[in-house]
Amino acid sequence: IDLLDKKNQLLTTESKLVKEQISSMLLVIGLALLLVIMLLFWSYRNRKIQKRLHYLASTDHLTGISNRGSFSDKSKTILQSAEKSESSVALIFIDLDHFKSINDAYGHQVGDWVLIQVVNSLKTIISGKGMQIGRIGGEEFGIILPDTGSIAAKDFAEHCREIIQKIDTFDTGSHFQVTASFGIADTDSAGYNLDNLFSAADLALYQSKKYGRNRVSCYEGDNIDL
């Protein structure tokens, strides 16, 4: 009987030890799962923060399109691909006419409204066409057009010019005309170097502003096609 009692006590002790081991294992597993969940959450949050930071660093906060740096990077990628395939790329620079006068006469809030409306109007005609739009600075914008030469780009720019000119300013409480000047360059005349393409489009834009604004000009080597 004593022997049986001792065996029962031993079995009871062993059972308690097993239960304690199981509890310890469950605790360790629980802590491990908690650690994994925390790591996954941290990783997700970190990726989300990085995406947000990248968005803020590459996006114009007012209009929601690419800023100058991001637009340049996208344009370089398009130009590198086009050079390999020997296809044409066109660049359009857009500068809103007398924008400072709008700010001075109606306030910067109205000026911001104009910028947003211009971008929204342009988005409607570039969506799904592989084109990229960016805010170059102030009231100046750029559109890069893959697989496009200066002739097709000029037709597209004329369409953009007409759309901008039709913007209704009724919502601002004031009536005024919004127009823009355009400068176009393509890789056939300026090559695949982004800086050269920018300079050529800028020169064409200068010609549009010089000869009356609200018009489209194309860079063609040493000549400007108005």
Side-chain angles (χ1 to χ4, degrees), residues 166-205:
K166 291 178 181 177
I167 291 176
D168 188 353
T169 61
F170 176 80
D171 288 342
T172 67
S174 303
H175 178 71
F176 56 91
Q177 182 76 59
V178 180
T179 63
S181 300
F182 293 75
I184 300 171
D186 68 0
T187 51
D188 295 332
S189 58
Y192 292 95
N193 180 277
L194 181 64
D195 291 336
N196 293 343
L197 196 63
F198 268 39
S199 296
D202 197 48
L203 179 59
L205 176 61

Short mmCIF file of all heavy atoms in Angstrom, two decimals, residues 166-205:
data_model
loop_
_atom_site.label_atom_id
_atom_site.label_comp_id
_atom_site.label_asym_id
_atom_site.label_seq_id
_atom_site.Cartn_x
_atom_site.Cartn_y
_atom_site.Cartn_z
N LYS A 166 -11.10 76.74 -72.42
CA LYS A 166 -12.53 76.58 -72.16
C LYS A 166 -12.87 76.43 -70.67
O LYS A 166 -14.03 76.23 -70.31
CB LYS A 166 -13.05 75.35 -72.91
CG LYS A 166 -13.08 75.52 -74.42
CD LYS A 166 -13.55 74.25 -75.11
CE LYS A 166 -13.56 74.41 -76.63
NZ LYS A 166 -13.95 73.14 -77.30
N ILE A 167 -11.86 76.49 -69.81
CA ILE A 167 -12.13 76.36 -68.37
C ILE A 167 -13.07 77.47 -67.91
O ILE A 167 -12.82 78.65 -68.15
CB ILE A 167 -10.81 76.40 -67.56
CG1 ILE A 167 -9.99 75.13 -67.82
CG2 ILE A 167 -11.09 76.54 -66.06
CD1 ILE A 167 -8.63 75.13 -67.15
N ASP A 168 -14.15 77.08 -67.27
CA ASP A 168 -15.14 78.02 -66.77
C ASP A 168 -14.76 78.44 -65.34
O ASP A 168 -14.67 77.60 -64.45
CB ASP A 168 -16.53 77.36 -66.78
CG ASP A 168 -17.64 78.35 -66.45
OD1 ASP A 168 -17.33 79.50 -66.08
OD2 ASP A 168 -18.82 77.96 -66.53
N THR A 169 -14.56 79.73 -65.14
CA THR A 169 -14.13 80.22 -63.83
C THR A 169 -15.30 80.65 -62.95
O THR A 169 -15.11 81.33 -61.93
CB THR A 169 -13.17 81.41 -64.00
OG1 THR A 169 -13.86 82.48 -64.69
CG2 THR A 169 -11.94 81.00 -64.81
N PHE A 170 -16.52 80.25 -63.30
CA PHE A 170 -17.71 80.66 -62.56
C PHE A 170 -17.62 80.30 -61.08
O PHE A 170 -18.04 81.07 -60.21
CB PHE A 170 -18.96 80.02 -63.18
CG PHE A 170 -20.23 80.30 -62.43
CD1 PHE A 170 -20.89 81.51 -62.60
CD2 PHE A 170 -20.75 79.37 -61.54
CE1 PHE A 170 -22.06 81.78 -61.90
CE2 PHE A 170 -21.91 79.63 -60.83
CZ PHE A 170 -22.58 80.85 -61.02
N ASP A 171 -17.06 79.13 -60.77
CA ASP A 171 -16.99 78.67 -59.38
C ASP A 171 -16.13 79.57 -58.50
O ASP A 171 -16.25 79.53 -57.27
CB ASP A 171 -16.44 77.24 -59.32
CG ASP A 171 -17.46 76.22 -59.83
OD1 ASP A 171 -18.64 76.56 -59.91
OD2 ASP A 171 -17.04 75.10 -60.17
N THR A 172 -15.27 80.37 -59.09
CA THR A 172 -14.42 81.25 -58.29
C THR A 172 -15.15 82.53 -57.88
O THR A 172 -14.65 83.29 -57.05
CB THR A 172 -13.16 81.64 -59.08
OG1 THR A 172 -13.53 82.47 -60.20
CG2 THR A 172 -12.41 80.42 -59.57
N GLY A 173 -16.30 82.76 -58.49
CA GLY A 173 -17.02 84.00 -58.22
C GLY A 173 -16.53 85.15 -59.08
O GLY A 173 -17.00 86.29 -58.92
N SER A 174 -15.61 84.87 -59.98
CA SER A 174 -15.07 85.90 -60.87
C SER A 174 -15.03 85.36 -62.29
O SER A 174 -15.00 84.14 -62.52
CB SER A 174 -13.66 86.32 -60.44
OG SER A 174 -13.64 86.77 -59.10
N HIS A 175 -15.03 86.26 -63.23
CA HIS A 175 -14.97 85.85 -64.64
C HIS A 175 -13.65 86.33 -65.24
O HIS A 175 -13.37 87.54 -65.29
CB HIS A 175 -16.14 86.44 -65.43
CG HIS A 175 -16.09 86.08 -66.88
ND1 HIS A 175 -16.35 84.81 -67.35
CD2 HIS A 175 -15.80 86.84 -67.98
CE1 HIS A 175 -16.22 84.77 -68.67
NE2 HIS A 175 -15.89 86.00 -69.08
N PHE A 176 -12.83 85.40 -65.67
CA PHE A 176 -11.58 85.73 -66.33
C PHE A 176 -11.18 84.57 -67.24
O PHE A 176 -11.66 83.45 -67.10
CB PHE A 176 -10.46 86.03 -65.32
CG PHE A 176 -10.20 84.91 -64.33
CD1 PHE A 176 -9.27 83.92 -64.60
CD2 PHE A 176 -10.90 84.86 -63.12
CE1 PHE A 176 -9.03 82.91 -63.70
CE2 PHE A 176 -10.66 83.85 -62.21
CZ PHE A 176 -9.73 82.87 -62.49
N GLN A 177 -10.32 84.86 -68.17
CA GLN A 177 -9.90 83.87 -69.17
C GLN A 177 -8.61 83.17 -68.72
O GLN A 177 -7.67 83.83 -68.27
CB GLN A 177 -9.65 84.56 -70.51
CG GLN A 177 -9.25 83.61 -71.63
CD GLN A 177 -10.43 82.82 -72.18
OE1 GLN A 177 -11.38 83.40 -72.66
NE2 GLN A 177 -10.35 81.51 -72.10
N VAL A 178 -8.58 81.85 -68.86
CA VAL A 178 -7.37 81.08 -68.58
C VAL A 178 -6.81 80.59 -69.91
O VAL A 178 -7.50 79.93 -70.68
CB VAL A 178 -7.66 79.87 -67.67
CG1 VAL A 178 -6.36 79.09 -67.41
CG2 VAL A 178 -8.29 80.31 -66.36
N THR A 179 -5.57 80.94 -70.20
CA THR A 179 -4.91 80.47 -71.41
C THR A 179 -3.49 80.01 -71.08
O THR A 179 -2.99 80.28 -69.99
CB THR A 179 -4.83 81.58 -72.49
OG1 THR A 179 -4.04 82.66 -71.99
CG2 THR A 179 -6.21 82.09 -72.86
N ALA A 180 -2.88 79.34 -72.02
CA ALA A 180 -1.52 78.82 -71.79
C ALA A 180 -0.71 78.85 -73.07
O ALA A 180 -1.26 78.77 -74.18
CB ALA A 180 -1.58 77.40 -71.25
N SER A 181 0.59 78.97 -72.93
CA SER A 181 1.52 78.90 -74.05
C SER A 181 2.24 77.55 -74.01
O SER A 181 2.49 77.00 -72.93
CB SER A 181 2.54 80.04 -73.97
OG SER A 181 1.88 81.29 -74.01
N PHE A 182 2.58 77.04 -75.19
CA PHE A 182 3.14 75.69 -75.31
C PHE A 182 4.45 75.70 -76.09
O PHE A 182 4.58 76.42 -77.09
CB PHE A 182 2.15 74.77 -76.03
CG PHE A 182 0.88 74.50 -75.27
CD1 PHE A 182 -0.10 75.48 -75.17
CD2 PHE A 182 0.67 73.28 -74.65
CE1 PHE A 182 -1.27 75.24 -74.46
CE2 PHE A 182 -0.49 73.03 -73.94
CZ PHE A 182 -1.46 74.02 -73.84
N GLY A 183 5.39 74.89 -75.61
CA GLY A 183 6.64 74.67 -76.33
C GLY A 183 6.88 73.18 -76.49
O GLY A 183 6.74 72.42 -75.53
N ILE A 184 7.21 72.75 -77.70
CA ILE A 184 7.35 71.32 -78.00
C ILE A 184 8.74 71.02 -78.56
O ILE A 184 9.27 71.77 -79.39
CB ILE A 184 6.29 70.87 -79.03
CG1 ILE A 184 4.89 71.10 -78.49
CG2 ILE A 184 6.48 69.39 -79.40
CD1 ILE A 184 3.80 70.87 -79.52
N ALA A 185 9.31 69.92 -78.10
CA ALA A 185 10.55 69.41 -78.68
C ALA A 185 10.44 67.89 -78.75
O ALA A 185 9.73 67.29 -77.93
CB ALA A 185 11.76 69.81 -77.85
N ASP A 186 11.11 67.29 -79.71
CA ASP A 186 11.11 65.82 -79.78
C ASP A 186 12.54 65.31 -79.96
O ASP A 186 13.47 66.08 -80.20
CB ASP A 186 10.18 65.30 -80.87
CG ASP A 186 10.66 65.64 -82.28
OD1 ASP A 186 11.72 66.28 -82.42
OD2 ASP A 186 9.97 65.27 -83.24
N THR A 187 12.67 64.01 -79.82
CA THR A 187 14.00 63.40 -79.88
C THR A 187 14.60 63.43 -81.28
O THR A 187 15.81 63.31 -81.44
CB THR A 187 13.94 61.95 -79.39
OG1 THR A 187 12.88 61.25 -80.09
CG2 THR A 187 13.66 61.89 -77.89
N ASP A 188 13.77 63.61 -82.30
CA ASP A 188 14.28 63.70 -83.67
C ASP A 188 15.11 64.97 -83.88
O ASP A 188 16.05 64.99 -84.66
CB ASP A 188 13.12 63.68 -84.68
CG ASP A 188 12.37 62.35 -84.65
OD1 ASP A 188 13.00 61.32 -84.31
OD2 ASP A 188 11.16 62.35 -84.93
N SER A 189 14.74 66.03 -83.14
CA SER A 189 15.45 67.30 -83.29
C SER A 189 16.39 67.61 -82.13
O SER A 189 17.36 68.35 -82.30
CB SER A 189 14.44 68.44 -83.44
OG SER A 189 13.58 68.50 -82.31
N ALA A 190 16.11 67.05 -80.94
CA ALA A 190 16.91 67.40 -79.76
C ALA A 190 17.68 66.22 -79.18
O ALA A 190 18.49 66.40 -78.27
CB ALA A 190 16.01 67.99 -78.67
N GLY A 191 17.46 65.01 -79.68
CA GLY A 191 18.16 63.84 -79.17
C GLY A 191 17.50 63.28 -77.91
O GLY A 191 16.48 63.78 -77.43
N TYR A 192 18.13 62.24 -77.35
CA TYR A 192 17.55 61.51 -76.22
C TYR A 192 18.06 61.98 -74.86
O TYR A 192 17.72 61.39 -73.85
CB TYR A 192 17.81 60.01 -76.38
CG TYR A 192 17.06 59.39 -77.54
CD1 TYR A 192 17.67 59.25 -78.79
CD2 TYR A 192 15.75 58.97 -77.39
CE1 TYR A 192 16.99 58.69 -79.86
CE2 TYR A 192 15.06 58.39 -78.45
CZ TYR A 192 15.67 58.26 -79.69
OH TYR A 192 14.99 57.72 -80.74
N ASN A 193 18.87 63.02 -74.86
CA ASN A 193 19.35 63.57 -73.60
C ASN A 193 18.26 64.45 -72.99
O ASN A 193 17.76 65.37 -73.65
CB ASN A 193 20.63 64.38 -73.83
CG ASN A 193 21.17 64.96 -72.54
OD1 ASN A 193 20.73 66.02 -72.10
ND2 ASN A 193 22.12 64.28 -71.92
N LEU A 194 17.91 64.17 -71.74
CA LEU A 194 16.79 64.88 -71.11
C LEU A 194 17.06 66.39 -71.00
O LEU A 194 16.18 67.20 -71.28
CB LEU A 194 16.50 64.31 -69.73
CG LEU A 194 15.33 64.94 -68.98
CD1 LEU A 194 14.03 64.71 -69.72
CD2 LEU A 194 15.24 64.39 -67.55
N ASP A 195 18.26 66.77 -70.62
CA ASP A 195 18.58 68.19 -70.48
C ASP A 195 18.44 68.93 -71.81
O ASP A 195 17.91 70.05 -71.86
CB ASP A 195 20.00 68.38 -69.93
CG ASP A 195 20.13 67.93 -68.49
OD1 ASP A 195 19.10 67.91 -67.78
OD2 ASP A 195 21.25 67.58 -68.07
N ASN A 196 18.90 68.29 -72.89
CA ASN A 196 18.77 68.89 -74.21
C ASN A 196 17.31 69.03 -74.63
O ASN A 196 16.89 70.04 -75.20
CB ASN A 196 19.53 68.07 -75.24
CG ASN A 196 21.03 68.10 -75.03
OD1 ASN A 196 21.54 68.97 -74.32
ND2 ASN A 196 21.74 67.16 -75.63
N LEU A 197 16.54 67.99 -74.31
CA LEU A 197 15.12 68.01 -74.65
C LEU A 197 14.38 69.10 -73.87
O LEU A 197 13.55 69.83 -74.41
CB LEU A 197 14.50 66.64 -74.36
CG LEU A 197 13.14 66.33 -75.00
CD1 LEU A 197 13.26 66.33 -76.53
CD2 LEU A 197 12.62 64.98 -74.53
N PHE A 198 14.72 69.23 -72.59
CA PHE A 198 14.14 70.28 -71.76
C PHE A 198 14.48 71.66 -72.32
O PHE A 198 13.62 72.54 -72.40
CB PHE A 198 14.65 70.16 -70.32
CG PHE A 198 13.79 69.32 -69.42
CD1 PHE A 198 13.19 68.17 -69.89
CD2 PHE A 198 13.57 69.68 -68.10
CE1 PHE A 198 12.39 67.39 -69.06
CE2 PHE A 198 12.78 68.92 -67.27
CZ PHE A 198 12.19 67.76 -67.74
N SER A 199 15.75 71.85 -72.67
CA SER A 199 16.19 73.15 -73.17
C SER A 199 15.49 73.51 -74.49
O SER A 199 15.10 74.66 -74.69
CB SER A 199 17.71 73.14 -73.39
OG SER A 199 18.39 72.96 -72.16
N ALA A 200 15.35 72.52 -75.35
CA ALA A 200 14.69 72.75 -76.65
C ALA A 200 13.22 73.11 -76.46
O ALA A 200 12.70 74.03 -77.09
CB ALA A 200 14.84 71.52 -77.53
N ALA A 201 12.53 72.38 -75.57
CA ALA A 201 11.12 72.66 -75.32
C ALA A 201 10.96 74.03 -74.67
O ALA A 201 10.01 74.77 -74.96
CB ALA A 201 10.52 71.57 -74.43
N ASP A 202 11.90 74.38 -73.81
CA ASP A 202 11.86 75.68 -73.14
C ASP A 202 12.07 76.82 -74.14
O ASP A 202 11.42 77.87 -74.05
CB ASP A 202 12.93 75.72 -72.05
CG ASP A 202 12.69 76.83 -71.05
OD1 ASP A 202 11.55 76.96 -70.56
OD2 ASP A 202 13.63 77.57 -70.74
N LEU A 203 12.93 76.60 -75.10
CA LEU A 203 13.17 77.60 -76.14
C LEU A 203 11.91 77.79 -76.98
O LEU A 203 11.54 78.94 -77.30
CB LEU A 203 14.34 77.18 -77.02
CG LEU A 203 14.72 78.11 -78.17
CD1 LEU A 203 15.09 79.49 -77.63
CD2 LEU A 203 15.87 77.52 -78.97
N ALA A 204 11.27 76.69 -77.33
CA ALA A 204 10.02 76.77 -78.10
C ALA A 204 8.94 77.49 -77.29
O ALA A 204 8.16 78.28 -77.84
CB ALA A 204 9.56 75.38 -78.51
N LEU A 205 8.89 77.21 -76.00
CA LEU A 205 7.92 77.88 -75.12
C LEU A 205 8.16 79.39 -75.09
O LEU A 205 7.22 80.19 -75.12
CB LEU A 205 8.01 77.30 -73.71
CG LEU A 205 7.13 77.94 -72.63
CD1 LEU A 205 5.65 77.81 -72.97
CD2 LEU A 205 7.42 77.29 -71.27
#
